[in-house]
Amino acid sequence: MKKRPNLLITGGAGYIGSHAVKEARKYGFQPITYDSLLMGHRWAVRDGVFVKGDLSNRAKLVQVFRKYKPAAVMHFASHLSVGESVANPQKYYRDNIGNALNLFSVMLEQKVNYFILSSTAAVYGNPVKVPMPENHPKNPINPYGDSKYILERILAWYDQAYGLKSTYLRYFNASGADVSGELGEDHHPEIHLIPLVLDAAAGLRKEITVFGTDYPTPDGTCIRDYIHVTDLAEAHFLALKRMMKTGKSDFFNLGTGKGYSVQQVIWMTEKVTGLKVPAKIGPRRPGDPPSLVAQSKKAQKVLGWKPKYSKLETILETAWRWHQKLHSGLKKKPV
Ligand code: UFG
C-alpha cells in the first residue's frame, strides 16, 4: 500500500489545529504535530506523530523536517488575542512573524514547497463593505491582524522569489466543537464569546458582559460570522489539495456569509441549553467593528467547500456538548 505523505501541522494541539489533525487522514495525509504546548494540549492531538517543540528552535525544526520529510505545512501556531496584541505588540510581531520566518527558512532549505497560513478577517480592519469580499481593502486595526497581513505579503514575495506556494485562509469567527465530542475549545484565559456565554449558562461565571448595545445594527450589538471549526479544518485540506494540483498560491475567506449579533447568540444559547444566560450591558470593547461578515463565495466555488456544521444552532449544540465534557473532568484523559 502506498504510504501517506506526511503533513507538518504547527499548533496541532490547539483549538483549530487539533481539528485539522483529526481530519488529515480522511484527506490522505499522516499528521505530524509540532507544538510547544504553551497554549495547546497533548490530549487534543488524536492522530499521527506528536513532537513537542517551539518554532523559535530552528535546529529542532530542521531535525523534524529531515526525519519526517513533510509534503506540506499547515501553520496554526500563533498568538490570537486582539486585545492582548494591542497591549503587547512585541509579542505578536516577534512570535507570529519571527517564528513563521524561521519556519519558512527551514522549508526553503529542505525544499518543502506548500504552505497553508491561518489568516484572519482581522486583516481587513473596519469594513467598508459588508459582506466583505477577498479584495476588500486591507487595513488592520490591531497588531494581531497586522502580523497576519504582513505574513501574507511576505508569502507573496517568497512565492515570486523562491517558488514557495501558499494559501492564506482568512477565518471569520471560529467556533463550535468536533461533532463526535472528542475535541473543542479550551483557552486559558478564555476570551471568545461562545465559550463565555456557555460558562454563564452553566453558572461557571456570574454573567456575560455584552460589549456595547449602541452599534448601528438591528439590535445594537455586534454582528459576527460564526464558522464551525470542523468546516474550517476541512477547507484547509481542500485548499491544500488544490494548491498541490494547480501549483498556484491563492487566498480565501472562510465564513458563512451570514452574521449573528451577540444578542442572537445569547438567545440561541438559551434555546440550545434550556438555561438562562445572565447578561449585563457593558461599554464597547475598543477595536470591535460593528459587523464582520464574509463574502464566502470564492471558497465555495473554487474549492467546492460546503460548510456542513455552521448553522448557529449546530455550532452551539456541539460547543455545549464539549463544554459539559470539559467541565466534568473528562478532558485530561489520555487518548
Ligand atoms: N463579546 C461580548 N462579550 C464578551 C466577549 C465578546 O460582547 O465577553 C462580543 C465582542 O465584542 C464581539 C463578539 O462578541 O462583538 C465576538 O467576540 P470574540 O472575542 O468571540 O471574537 P472577535 O470577533 O473579537 O474575534 C475573532 C477572533 C480573532 C479574529 C477576529 C476576526 O477571535 O482572532 O474574530 O474577525 F481576529
Side-chain angles (χ1 to χ4, degrees), residues 66-81:
R66 287 207 178 123
K67 181 161 180 196
Y68 295 105
K69 301 190 173 28
V73 176
M74 279 185 192
H75 178 49
F76 294 93
S78 128
H79 301 304
L80 51 73
S81 161

Side-chain angles (χ1 to χ4, degrees), residues 3-6 23-31 237 241:
K3 206 174 154 282
R4 289 163 189 276
N6 285 334
E23 291 292 296
R25 193 166 291 271
K26 207 159 86 192
Y27 291 90
F29 292 98
Q30 156 88 350
F237 290 95
K241 289 266 182 188

Side-chain angles (χ1 to χ4, degrees), residues 158-175:
Y158 275 39
D159 182 1
Q160 193 176 303
Y162 312 121
L164 176 65
K165 301 298 164 194
S166 60
T167 303
Y168 356 119
L169 300 175
R170 297 181 187 139
Y171 312 157
F172 281 66
N173 286 61
S175 47

